[in-house]
Amino acid sequence: MATAVTTSQDQQPAAFGHAAGPCSMVLFGASGDLTKRKLVPALFNLAKASLLPKHFAILGVAVDQLDEEQFRNQVTSFLPAEDRSTEAWNWFQQRLYYQCGDFGDPRTYSTVGSRLGQLDQKHNTEGNYLFYLATSPKFFASIVEQLGGTGLSSQDSGRWRRVIIEKPFGSDFDSARALNARIKAVLAENQIYRIDHYLGKETVQNIMVFRFDNAIFEPIWNRRYIDHVQITNAETVGVELRGGYFDTTGTLRDMVPNHVMQLLSLVAMESPVSFHADAVRSEQAKVLRAMQPLASEDVLQYSVRGQYAEGLISEERVKGYRTEPGVSPESRTETFVALKLNIDNWRWVGVPFYLRTGKRLAKRHTEITIQFKRTPFELFRNTPGHKHSNQLVIQIQPVEGISLSFGAKIPGPILRVGSVDMSFEYSKYFGADAYTGYEVLLYDCMIGDATLFQRADMVEAGWNVVDPVLDVWRALPPRRFPNYAAGTWGPKESDDLLQRDGREWRTIE
């Protein structure tokens, strides 16, 4: 993660780095939604910020029969209209190329190699290649093997070759380990960039800065002062057009081993010895390895699964999961997950981590709540209006910001205590930027900084926690599906998970 320093709101933040070095980027799956909605807008934002290499080209590869003009029009359809007459637009458009090809056909990779050679000559990209696999997971290993077979993954004479792999990385521990083995037979670990777009969000990156650059928080970031931690990742959308894929995957596989575990590891990790990629990722991996996988009998008590029925979202009636396109009318696939997990180390032993994530919930919202313990003696327990707790809330989406709540006297002649918040939002303090979240990740890959990408052992450690839950759920079908209405916060059992411990989910307004 590239860094720069600024000291106050009155100063303009420094650019987070200089332009990356010469390279060509190959987008496998270039005709898909991810390319036009996220990747190309992110690359264009980098171009406007003068952070893309001067010597740069993009080669899209997909099975669709498109000419280059059609491809350019398609992938730039989400770019702002006001940018279309700018110098940055003209520069960017001229560096978009397309190649039709089947991912399973070896001839595709020979052709891609030839095209890259031509782009090296035309744009002086010096033989440095970044391959982005925006494809179905079933192609991940075979594409990497084809790149190896044609020599496109070979690094020599000072040239680098890197591969970005989208989630999901495997469907359980065994498949993730097998996928790692196949990919690492071709690529060195430092060539592999397992991407999780959540780590491109400012607030997620700021967790480390907040913890390790502020002396007032790190001393209380432990079991002595923290009662529990909540991580909520809520979506209002259903499965949309992904019903066929999602019905074979489910929320547990889709969200927990990657997004949720990444957030948890950043909150719980120890301070790294440096900000180098492997130092940071080693501390994250230690946390994931220290997590206690649930025993089979504990899965029933400490995990909750749900599936949405029809309901109301923003006063619009939406259909239930089982009537979505591509979904079986008798589907047992979960669209909601809640878990209680524990980390078995000195800092966190006895501090539960409650996780919940799901579709068709009441609001689109992702946050981390650090709930601090109450004072050992409640001096103001009989004071009118006294009901507050110390909470630190790190909001990730849709609003990025941080707030801290604490007790304060309510003005007036009578002593009354209420809860107040100190908070800030990134957009209000630093100004709003139309970023997709992929900008910093793509830039970091171009400069060879893997700090915000998952390492093989991190992926496998995440699956090691999820696998016991999958096994029990597979053996014991859900008793009652669907079990929550769209537009709510999930099944009642999710609330029960905390209430059994005398706790409750933070209310999200």
Side-chain angles (χ1 to χ4, degrees):
M1 183 173 71
T3 58
V5 177
T6 185
T7 56
S8 76
Q9 180 186 14
D10 297 326
Q11 292 178 284
Q12 289 297 317
F16 62 82
H18 51 76
C23 68
S24 291
M25 182 173 181
V26 180
L27 291 172
F28 287 102
S31 60
D33 268 4
L34 178 63
T35 297
K36 64 184 179 183
R37 290 179 181 270
K38 300 293 185 181
L39 300 181
V40 166
L43 289 166
F44 185 59
N45 286 337
L46 290 174
K48 290 193 292 184
S50 300
L51 291 171
L52 281 186
K54 178 181 178 182
H55 304 292
F56 181 68
I58 301 169
L59 177 62
V61 182
V63 295
D64 302 63
Q65 295 287 342
L66 302 171
D67 60 35
E68 247 147 36
E69 191 62 28
Q70 290 173 318
F71 174 68
R72 290 173 177 176
N73 290 335
Q74 178 176 299
V75 298
T76 58
S77 59
F78 282 83
L79 299 185
E82 60 269 23
D83 285 326
R84 293 176 184 260
S85 59
T86 63
E87 183 178 341
W89 172 272
N90 293 330
W91 181 91
F92 189 73
Q93 279 272 88
Q94 293 167 10
R95 280 155 179 79
L96 289 170
Y97 300 89
Y98 183 74
Q99 179 63 51
C100 176
D102 185 330
F103 303 147
D105 186 349
R107 292 174 296 181
T108 296
Y109 301 87
S110 298
T111 304
V112 167
S114 298
R115 293 294 305 274
L116 286 172
Q118 295 167 11
L119 295 177
D120 284 340
Q121 294 294 319
K122 184 173 183 179
H123 294 288
N124 195 25
T125 50
E126 299 184 6
N128 298 317
Y129 303 151
L130 169 58
F131 301 97
Y132 197 116
L133 309 192
T135 68
S136 167
K138 67 183 179 182
F139 294 117
F140 290 168
S142 59
I143 289 176
V144 170
E145 288 167 347
Q146 294 276 15
L147 293 175
T150 52
L152 288 172
S153 64
S154 299
Q155 302 187 113
D156 54 40
S157 305
R159 299 177 301 182
W160 56 258
R161 308 289 167 86
R162 298 170 189 145
V163 180
I164 298 180
I165 302 176
E166 271 284 347
K167 77 171 186 73
F169 198 91
S171 58
D172 55 23
F173 177 82
D174 289 338
S175 62
R177 184 167 57 178
L179 180 56
N180 271 327
R182 288 182 67 181
I183 290 173
K184 292 178 76 172
V186 178
L187 302 170
E189 179 63 38
N190 63 11
Q191 292 179 271
I192 307 168
Y193 289 70
R194 301 170 188 84
I195 195 169
D196 183 343
H197 72 270
Y198 265 44
L199 295 195
K201 294 184 178 296
E202 293 290 350
T203 320
V204 174
Q205 298 168 51
N206 196 50
I207 293 172
M208 286 186 285
V209 177
F210 183 84
R211 286 190 56 194
F212 303 128
D213 199 46
N214 293 293
I216 61 174
F217 290 109
E218 186 57 23
I220 60 172
W221 208 264
N222 55 59
R223 59 187 168 85
R224 183 176 178 185
Y225 298 100
I226 293 177
D227 180 77
H228 70 277
V229 177
Q230 299 179 17
I231 299 177
T232 294
N233 172 245
E235 298 178 279
T236 54
V237 297
V239 294
E240 299 178 309
L241 301 177
R242 299 170 65 233
Y245 160 76
F246 187 87
D247 206 38
T248 62
T249 304
T251 292
L252 182 62
R253 285 190 177 101
D254 192 43
M255 297 297 293
V256 176
N258 38 69
H259 293 338
V260 177
M261 288 298 174
Q262 286 290 295
L263 296 179
L264 186 151
S265 65
L266 288 170
V267 169
M269 65 187 281
E270 298 294 329
S271 174
V273 295
S274 73
F275 203 58
H276 293 145
D278 274 336
V280 173
R281 297 191 296 178
S282 290
E283 295 303 332
Q284 289 181 269
K286 287 178 186 177
V287 169
L288 297 175
R289 287 195 294 268
M291 295 189 69
Q292 304 169 6
L294 296 176
S296 297
E297 58 271 19
D298 291 334
V299 171
L300 300 177
Q301 185 176 1
Y302 300 133
S303 72
V304 174
R305 52 182 157 169
Q307 185 188 90
Y308 64 83
E310 66 175 23
L312 289 174
I313 293 183
S314 300
E315 300 183 355
E316 179 184 347
R317 181 155 294 278
V318 297
K319 52 190 174 184
Y321 175 72
R322 292 183 176 185
T323 58
E324 298 275 19
V327 174
S328 165
E330 298 179 351
S331 174
R332 296 172 175 175
T333 300
E334 79 286 347
T335 61
F336 176 95
V337 173
L339 297 170
K340 175 185 175 182
L341 298 174
N342 291 282
I343 299 173
D344 195 12
N345 64 21
W346 277 69
R347 182 185 290 264
W348 296 112
V349 66
V351 178
F353 284 70
Y354 299 100
L355 322 174
R356 62 174 172 173
T357 179
K359 294 187 176 297
R360 288 294 192 211
L361 299 181
K363 286 183 178 295
R364 176 177 173 260
H365 193 88
T366 300
E367 70 171 34
I368 301 165
T369 299
I370 311 297
Q371 177 66 61
F372 292 96
K373 292 182 177 181
R374 294 191 178 275
T375 54
F377 175 70
E378 294 195 38
L379 181 62
F380 302 104
R381 61 188 178 279
N382 297 321
T383 301
H386 179 266
K387 186 181 180 182
H388 81 88
S389 60
N390 297 130
Q391 288 181 335
L392 177 70
V393 181
I394 302 169
Q395 298 182 37
I396 296 167
Q397 69 175 12
V399 175
E400 295 186 275
I402 298 175
S403 66
L404 177 66
S405 63
F406 54 92
K409 180 185 178 296
I410 298 172
I414 299 173
L415 179 61
R416 294 180 300 155
V417 177
S419 183
V420 297
D421 290 333
M422 287 195 305
S423 63
F424 92 97
E425 295 178 14
Y426 275 85
S427 61
K428 291 180 179 178
Y429 196 86
F430 294 110
D433 289 310
Y435 287 150
T436 70
Y438 279 85
E439 287 83 359
V440 68
L441 299 173
L442 293 173
Y443 176 78
D444 279 359
C445 189
M446 290 178 193
I447 65 173
D449 184 346
T451 305
L452 298 177
F453 297 83
Q454 289 185 290
R455 209 168 56 189
D457 56 340
M458 296 168 63
V459 172
E460 293 176 14
W463 279 115
N464 196 46
V465 175
V466 167
D467 263 16
V469 182
L470 282 173
D471 291 342
V472 173
W473 286 3
R474 198 179 293 119
L476 297 174
R479 295 177 183 174
R480 183 174 61 89
F481 265 11
N483 61 356
Y484 71 95
T488 66
W489 284 106
K492 179 182 179 298
E493 291 82 358
S494 173
D495 295 326
D496 295 342
L497 180 66
L498 275 71
Q499 288 171 0
R500 285 196 298 268
D501 297 336
R503 301 180 175 106
E504 60 185 12
W505 292 108
R506 191 183 88 87
T507 301
I508 298 172
E509 302 293 345

